[in-house]
């Protein structure tokens, strides 16, 4: 191993501990097998590189590809020439992305929220619970949440909304039109992939009317998962939480959410 | 300590690239690379990597003619990269 790799694992572990997104590229076949490059973004256009794959040109090309893979949250093997040439096979490099965890915003500090926080934490979400009522939005009630914010949904969304992406989720569990209409309108203004809204069919019908009054288009309304969750007959907060995260997964993968025993075809894509 | 990582997957497989397993010299194991199908064989490979200090790629797939050989029962092939944690 070259000197540049001394202590690389410790620096890599440090980034992971601090939840700093990074990509680790390792030569898995070809000259310099085992050589590594650790790449991370420093600000919008900048990046920092640690280690080497053994050739400056190869380092440059792999750095570019690793930043791309990191943005997409993908990991996989890529092939290059010894100096990073495209369409050559001399060197195989495994690029592993360690992206920031997906975010979940939960509006409404109710018992369903507590169960959803527990279940979503298992899936690795970074979770923010938001409610304008100070007595309910407490750390004690949601010990696993990464953040508990006492504020109005539209104000929180104005702040964090621009960072939300397809893999993130917004769950509106407030049951109160004062909160849920601004939360939904705010969430629809973002690129978030999942917007689920809790309520009975009657609440849902009533809410649609209020959203249309607020100027929300049918196209935007079609993005909503309301009533929230898959039809698994969930009754308790915990069961409801499972039905919500199952819907989030099925929406992301585009799968039918049928029992596998009643379908055929591949189980994973 | 040796590190085994799934780097590539063909067809159906239980774990995605990035799944990893660490094996200590005394055989202690953390993590996993499949649904339990190949972990035993990976420990053997990892101990060899520790003994020789040499990195290697190992593939596990399903083979009809060797029904009792180590492999994935789901029909896919996983490619693992094994290396000592010397970096």
């Amino acid at each position: 191993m070259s000197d540049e790799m001394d202590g690389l694992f410790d620096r890599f572990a440090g980034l992971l501990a601090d939840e700093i997104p990074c990509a680790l590229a390792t030569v898995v076949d070809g000259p310099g097998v085992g050589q590594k490059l650790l790449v991370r973004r420093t600000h919008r256009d900048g990046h920092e590189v640690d280690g080497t794959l053994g050739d400056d040109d190869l380092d440059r090309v792999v750095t570019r590809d690793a930043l791309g893979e990191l943005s997409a949250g993908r990991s996989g093997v890529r092939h290059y020439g010894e100096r990073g040439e495209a369409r050559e096979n001399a060197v195989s490099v495994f690029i592993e992305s360690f992206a920031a965890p997906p975010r979940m915003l939960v509006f409404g500090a109710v018992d369903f929220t507590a169960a959803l926080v527990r279940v979503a934490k298992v899936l690795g979400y970074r979770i923010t619970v938001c409610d304008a009522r100070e007595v309910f939005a407490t750390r004690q009630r949601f010990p696993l949440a990464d953040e508990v914010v006492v504020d109005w949904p539209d104000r929180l969304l104005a702040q964090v909304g621009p960072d939300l992406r397809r893999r993130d989720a917004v769950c509106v569990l407030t049951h109160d039109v004062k909160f849920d209409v601004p939360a939904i309108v705010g969430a629809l203004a973002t690129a978030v992939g999942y917007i689920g809204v809790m309520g009975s069919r009657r609440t849902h019908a009533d809410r649609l009317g209020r959203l249309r009054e607020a100027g929300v288009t049918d196209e935007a309304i079609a993005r909503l998962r309301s009533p929230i969750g898959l039809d698994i007959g969930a009754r308790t907060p915990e069961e409801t939480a499972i039905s919500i995260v199952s819907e989030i997964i099925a929406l992301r993968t585009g799968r039918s959410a049928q029992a596998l025993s009643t379908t055929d075809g591949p189980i994973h894509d | 300590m040796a590190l085994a990582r799934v780097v590539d997957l063909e067809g159906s497989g239980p774990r995605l690239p990035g799944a990893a397993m660490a094996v200590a010299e005394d055989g202690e194991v953390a993590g996993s690379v499949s649904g339990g199908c190949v972990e035993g064989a990976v420990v053997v490979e990892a101990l060899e990597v520790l003994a020789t200090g040499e990195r290697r790629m190992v593939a596990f797939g399903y083979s009809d003619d060797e029904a009792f050989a180590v492999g994935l029962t789901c029909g896919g092939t996983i490619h693992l990269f094994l290396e000592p944690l010397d970096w």
Side-chain angles (χ1 to χ4, degrees):
Chain A
M1 292 296 97
S2 59
D3 294 344
E4 285 100 326
M5 302 248 313
D6 269 355
L8 187 70
F9 180 81
D10 289 336
R11 298 195 290 280
F12 166 59
L15 293 180
L16 295 186
D18 294 340
E19 292 188 358
I20 295 168
C22 59
L24 181 68
T26 306
V27 177
V28 294
D29 205 7
V33 66
Q35 289 289 128
K36 288 179 178 63
L37 201 62
L38 178 62
V39 181
R40 70 182 175 97
R41 284 186 200 286
T42 47
H43 47 83
R44 197 158 283 278
D45 300 312
H47 60 265
E48 207 170 271
V49 176
D50 193 350
T52 178
L53 303 181
D55 178 85
D56 287 349
D57 291 322
L58 180 62
D59 284 352
R60 204 155 27 240
V61 174
V62 172
T63 296
R64 182 199 66 199
D65 290 351
L67 289 170
E69 294 291 272
L70 180 58
S71 297
R74 269 194 311 253
S75 296
V77 175
R78 285 168 167 256
H79 307 281
Y80 305 92
E82 284 187 37
R83 300 190 179 284
E85 298 91 336
R87 291 178 296 279
E88 288 189 28
N89 270 319
V91 189
S92 301
V93 179
F94 176 52
I95 299 175
E96 187 172 6
S97 292
F98 299 87
R103 291 198 64 164
M104 180 183 283
L105 306 185
V106 190
F107 293 108
V110 296
D111 278 352
F112 287 95
T113 310
L116 180 57
V117 169
R118 289 201 297 277
V119 171
K121 208 62 215 171
V122 171
L123 295 183
Y125 281 93
R126 180 169 186 84
I127 305 164
T128 303
V129 174
C130 175
D131 196 306
R133 301 166 300 175
E134 210 167 318
V135 280
F136 293 115
T138 63
R139 279 230 66 94
Q140 292 74 14
R141 294 190 68 208
F142 311 104
L144 290 182
D146 296 277
E147 229 182 350
V148 179
V149 177
V150 181
D151 207 341
W152 287 82
D154 44 336
R155 293 208 337 190
L156 178 70
L157 279 164
Q159 209 184 323
V160 304
D163 296 328
L164 297 179
R165 299 282 174 268
R166 246 184 76 87
R167 63 201 195 104
D168 302 319
V170 170
C171 299
V172 182
L173 311 184
T174 51
H175 279 108
D176 182 336
V177 287
K178 277 200 309 296
F179 298 100
D180 68 8
V181 169
I184 294 164
V185 171
L188 283 170
T190 73
V192 73
Y194 176 91
I195 307 172
V197 192
M198 184 172 274
S200 64
R201 300 231 178 251
R202 189 148 126 204
T203 310
H204 169 69
D206 173 64
R207 189 188 291 125
L208 285 186
R210 290 172 190 276
L211 287 170
R212 291 202 174 96
E213 275 169 35
V216 177
T217 64
D218 285 352
E219 198 189 355
I221 284 171
R223 276 178 71 192
L224 302 180
R225 293 289 172 136
S226 171
I228 197 168
L230 292 184
D231 182 10
I232 57 171
R235 291 304 300 266
T236 64
E238 291 73 19
E239 289 174 353
T240 304
I242 299 278
S243 114
I244 294 170
V245 298
S246 304
E247 182 175 46
I248 293 174
I249 296 168
L251 181 67
R252 190 197 70 219
T253 59
R255 301 296 290 248
S256 67
Q258 302 297 304
L260 288 167
S261 59
T262 65
T263 62
D264 45 28
I267 294 174
H268 12 244
D269 294 319
Chain B
M1 192 147 59
L3 191 63
R5 286 186 285 167
V6 177
V7 299
D8 208 359
L9 176 69
E10 291 163 54
S12 182
R15 300 291 306 271
L16 293 171
M21 184 170 138
V23 180
E25 230 155 9
D26 62 4
E28 195 188 334
V29 169
S32 77
V33 292
S34 76
C37 325
V38 302
E39 273 71 8
V42 173
V43 170
V44 174
E45 294 278 348
L47 291 176
E48 278 177 36
V49 164
L50 279 180
T52 61
E54 272 173 32
R55 295 167 151 79
R56 62 174 76 164
M57 289 280 285
V58 180
F60 292 100
Y62 179 73
S63 133
D64 275 328
D65 23 290
E66 296 174 70
F68 295 102
V70 171
L72 299 174
T73 52
C74 49
T77 301
I78 55 171
H79 296 268
L80 303 179
F81 180 67
L82 284 85
E83 62 176 344
L85 200 60
D86 59 358
W87 44 284

PDB file of all heavy atoms in Angstrom, chain B residues 56-70:
ATOM      1  N   ARG B  56      -8.350 -10.549  -2.863  1.00  0.00           N
ATOM      2  CA  ARG B  56      -8.919 -11.396  -3.919  1.00  0.00           C
ATOM      3  C   ARG B  56     -10.399 -11.115  -4.153  1.00  0.00           C
ATOM      4  O   ARG B  56     -11.086 -10.600  -3.286  1.00  0.00           O
ATOM      5  CB  ARG B  56      -8.730 -12.874  -3.563  1.00  0.00           C
ATOM      6  CG  ARG B  56      -9.442 -13.298  -2.287  1.00  0.00           C
ATOM      7  CD  ARG B  56      -9.343 -14.802  -2.071  1.00  0.00           C
ATOM      8  NE  ARG B  56      -8.008 -15.177  -1.595  1.00  0.00           N
ATOM      9  CZ  ARG B  56      -7.722 -16.357  -1.033  1.00  0.00           C
ATOM     10  NH1 ARG B  56      -8.666 -17.270  -0.901  1.00  0.00           N
ATOM     11  NH2 ARG B  56      -6.517 -16.626  -0.613  1.00  0.00           N
ATOM     12  N   MET B  57     -10.822 -11.461  -5.386  1.00  0.00           N
ATOM     13  CA  MET B  57     -12.237 -11.444  -5.734  1.00  0.00           C
ATOM     14  C   MET B  57     -12.736 -12.882  -5.648  1.00  0.00           C
ATOM     15  O   MET B  57     -12.043 -13.811  -6.059  1.00  0.00           O
ATOM     16  CB  MET B  57     -12.440 -10.950  -7.172  1.00  0.00           C
ATOM     17  CG  MET B  57     -12.178  -9.473  -7.369  1.00  0.00           C
ATOM     18  SD  MET B  57     -13.562  -8.453  -6.855  1.00  0.00           S
ATOM     19  CE  MET B  57     -14.682  -8.760  -8.217  1.00  0.00           C
ATOM     20  N   VAL B  58     -13.928 -13.057  -5.112  1.00  0.00           N
ATOM     21  CA  VAL B  58     -14.536 -14.383  -5.011  1.00  0.00           C
ATOM     22  C   VAL B  58     -15.971 -14.269  -5.501  1.00  0.00           C
ATOM     23  O   VAL B  58     -16.656 -13.296  -5.190  1.00  0.00           O
ATOM     24  CB  VAL B  58     -14.540 -14.880  -3.545  1.00  0.00           C
ATOM     25  CG1 VAL B  58     -15.163 -16.262  -3.442  1.00  0.00           C
ATOM     26  CG2 VAL B  58     -13.133 -14.887  -2.974  1.00  0.00           C
ATOM     27  N   ALA B  59     -16.416 -15.248  -6.300  1.00  0.00           N
ATOM     28  CA  ALA B  59     -17.802 -15.239  -6.776  1.00  0.00           C
ATOM     29  C   ALA B  59     -18.543 -16.444  -6.212  1.00  0.00           C
ATOM     30  O   ALA B  59     -17.990 -17.537  -6.100  1.00  0.00           O
ATOM     31  CB  ALA B  59     -17.840 -15.271  -8.297  1.00  0.00           C
ATOM     32  N   PHE B  60     -19.777 -16.215  -5.821  1.00  0.00           N
ATOM     33  CA  PHE B  60     -20.643 -17.319  -5.404  1.00  0.00           C
ATOM     34  C   PHE B  60     -21.902 -17.288  -6.249  1.00  0.00           C
ATOM     35  O   PHE B  60     -22.565 -16.265  -6.357  1.00  0.00           O
ATOM     36  CB  PHE B  60     -21.039 -17.175  -3.929  1.00  0.00           C
ATOM     37  CG  PHE B  60     -19.909 -17.363  -2.979  1.00  0.00           C
ATOM     38  CD1 PHE B  60     -19.284 -16.262  -2.421  1.00  0.00           C
ATOM     39  CD2 PHE B  60     -19.462 -18.633  -2.643  1.00  0.00           C
ATOM     40  CE1 PHE B  60     -18.232 -16.416  -1.526  1.00  0.00           C
ATOM     41  CE2 PHE B  60     -18.409 -18.787  -1.750  1.00  0.00           C
ATOM     42  CZ  PHE B  60     -17.791 -17.685  -1.189  1.00  0.00           C
ATOM     43  N   GLY B  61     -22.211 -18.450  -6.867  1.00  0.00           N
ATOM     44  CA  GLY B  61     -23.425 -18.547  -7.671  1.00  0.00           C
ATOM     45  C   GLY B  61     -24.118 -19.856  -7.395  1.00  0.00           C
ATOM     46  O   GLY B  61     -23.746 -20.590  -6.475  1.00  0.00           O
ATOM     47  N   TYR B  62     -25.102 -20.171  -8.193  1.00  0.00           N
ATOM     48  CA  TYR B  62     -25.830 -21.411  -8.012  1.00  0.00           C
ATOM     49  C   TYR B  62     -25.392 -22.379  -9.084  1.00  0.00           C
ATOM     50  O   TYR B  62     -25.265 -22.022 -10.254  1.00  0.00           O
ATOM     51  CB  TYR B  62     -27.333 -21.168  -8.134  1.00  0.00           C
ATOM     52  CG  TYR B  62     -28.143 -22.424  -7.987  1.00  0.00           C
ATOM     53  CD1 TYR B  62     -28.288 -23.033  -6.735  1.00  0.00           C
ATOM     54  CD2 TYR B  62     -28.748 -23.007  -9.090  1.00  0.00           C
ATOM     55  CE1 TYR B  62     -29.025 -24.179  -6.593  1.00  0.00           C
ATOM     56  CE2 TYR B  62     -29.494 -24.168  -8.947  1.00  0.00           C
ATOM     57  CZ  TYR B  62     -29.630 -24.755  -7.704  1.00  0.00           C
ATOM     58  OH  TYR B  62     -30.357 -25.893  -7.569  1.00  0.00           O
ATOM     59  N   SER B  63     -25.131 -23.623  -8.694  1.00  0.00           N
ATOM     60  CA  SER B  63     -24.743 -24.602  -9.688  1.00  0.00           C
ATOM     61  C   SER B  63     -25.596 -25.851  -9.528  1.00  0.00           C
ATOM     62  O   SER B  63     -25.700 -26.408  -8.435  1.00  0.00           O
ATOM     63  CB  SER B  63     -23.251 -24.889  -9.550  1.00  0.00           C
ATOM     64  OG  SER B  63     -23.021 -26.266  -9.571  1.00  0.00           O
ATOM     65  N   ASP B  64     -26.242 -26.269 -10.625  1.00  0.00           N
ATOM     66  CA  ASP B  64     -27.150 -27.422 -10.606  1.00  0.00           C
ATOM     67  C   ASP B  64     -26.429 -28.736 -10.318  1.00  0.00           C
ATOM     68  O   ASP B  64     -26.930 -29.586  -9.616  1.00  0.00           O
ATOM     69  CB  ASP B  64     -27.863 -27.557 -11.962  1.00  0.00           C
ATOM     70  CG  ASP B  64     -29.096 -26.682 -11.997  1.00  0.00           C
ATOM     71  OD1 ASP B  64     -29.709 -26.502 -10.941  1.00  0.00           O
ATOM     72  OD2 ASP B  64     -29.421 -26.182 -13.094  1.00  0.00           O
ATOM     73  N   ASP B  65     -25.219 -28.862 -10.897  1.00  0.00           N
ATOM     74  CA  ASP B  65     -24.536 -30.152 -10.770  1.00  0.00           C
ATOM     75  C   ASP B  65     -23.866 -30.311  -9.414  1.00  0.00           C
ATOM     76  O   ASP B  65     -23.483 -31.398  -9.040  1.00  0.00           O
ATOM     77  CB  ASP B  65     -23.535 -30.369 -11.913  1.00  0.00           C
ATOM     78  CG  ASP B  65     -23.084 -29.070 -12.540  1.00  0.00           C
ATOM     79  OD1 ASP B  65     -23.934 -28.459 -13.199  1.00  0.00           O
ATOM     80  OD2 ASP B  65     -21.922 -28.674 -12.330  1.00  0.00           O
ATOM     81  N   GLU B  66     -23.722 -29.247  -8.686  1.00  0.00           N
ATOM     82  CA  GLU B  66     -23.138 -29.390  -7.351  1.00  0.00           C
ATOM     83  C   GLU B  66     -24.160 -28.907  -6.324  1.00  0.00           C
ATOM     84  O   GLU B  66     -24.002 -27.859  -5.725  1.00  0.00           O
ATOM     85  CB  GLU B  66     -21.878 -28.545  -7.213  1.00  0.00           C
ATOM     86  CG  GLU B  66     -20.751 -28.957  -8.112  1.00  0.00           C
ATOM     87  CD  GLU B  66     -19.598 -27.966  -8.008  1.00  0.00           C
ATOM     88  OE1 GLU B  66     -18.945 -27.962  -6.942  1.00  0.00           O
ATOM     89  OE2 GLU B  66     -19.382 -27.195  -8.944  1.00  0.00           O
ATOM     90  N   ALA B  67     -25.194 -29.688  -6.163  1.00  0.00           N
ATOM     91  CA  ALA B  67     -26.315 -29.262  -5.316  1.00  0.00           C
ATOM     92  C   ALA B  67     -25.878 -28.963  -3.888  1.00  0.00           C
ATOM     93  O   ALA B  67     -26.495 -28.153  -3.204  1.00  0.00           O
ATOM     94  CB  ALA B  67     -27.401 -30.309  -5.336  1.00  0.00           C
ATOM     95  N   PHE B  68     -24.808 -29.605  -3.449  1.00  0.00           N
ATOM     96  CA  PHE B  68     -24.401 -29.401  -2.058  1.00  0.00           C
ATOM     97  C   PHE B  68     -23.227 -28.448  -1.916  1.00  0.00           C
ATOM     98  O   PHE B  68     -22.741 -28.193  -0.832  1.00  0.00           O
ATOM     99  CB  PHE B  68     -24.085 -30.748  -1.392  1.00  0.00           C
ATOM    100  CG  PHE B  68     -25.299 -31.618  -1.298  1.00  0.00           C
ATOM    101  CD1 PHE B  68     -25.494 -32.664  -2.196  1.00  0.00           C
ATOM    102  CD2 PHE B  68     -26.274 -31.359  -0.348  1.00  0.00           C
ATOM    103  CE1 PHE B  68     -26.636 -33.447  -2.129  1.00  0.00           C
ATOM    104  CE2 PHE B  68     -27.422 -32.145  -0.276  1.00  0.00           C
ATOM    105  CZ  PHE B  68     -27.604 -33.192  -1.166  1.00  0.00           C
ATOM    106  N   ALA B  69     -22.761 -27.919  -3.054  1.00  0.00           N
ATOM    107  CA  ALA B  69     -21.665 -26.955  -2.986  1.00  0.00           C
ATOM    108  C   ALA B  69     -22.194 -25.650  -2.406  1.00  0.00           C
ATOM    109  O   ALA B  69     -23.383 -25.392  -2.394  1.00  0.00           O
ATOM    110  CB  ALA B  69     -21.092 -26.722  -4.372  1.00  0.00           C
ATOM    111  N   VAL B  70     -21.251 -24.827  -1.938  1.00  0.00           N
ATOM    112  CA  VAL B  70     -21.654 -23.542  -1.372  1.00  0.00           C
ATOM    113  C   VAL B  70     -22.144 -22.629  -2.485  1.00  0.00           C
ATOM    114  O   VAL B  70     -21.515 -22.500  -3.522  1.00  0.00           O
ATOM    115  CB  VAL B  70     -20.436 -22.896  -0.678  1.00  0.00           C
ATOM    116  CG1 VAL B  70     -20.759 -21.473  -0.274  1.00  0.00           C
ATOM    117  CG2 VAL B  70     -20.043 -23.721   0.531  1.00  0.00           C
TER     118      VAL B  70
END
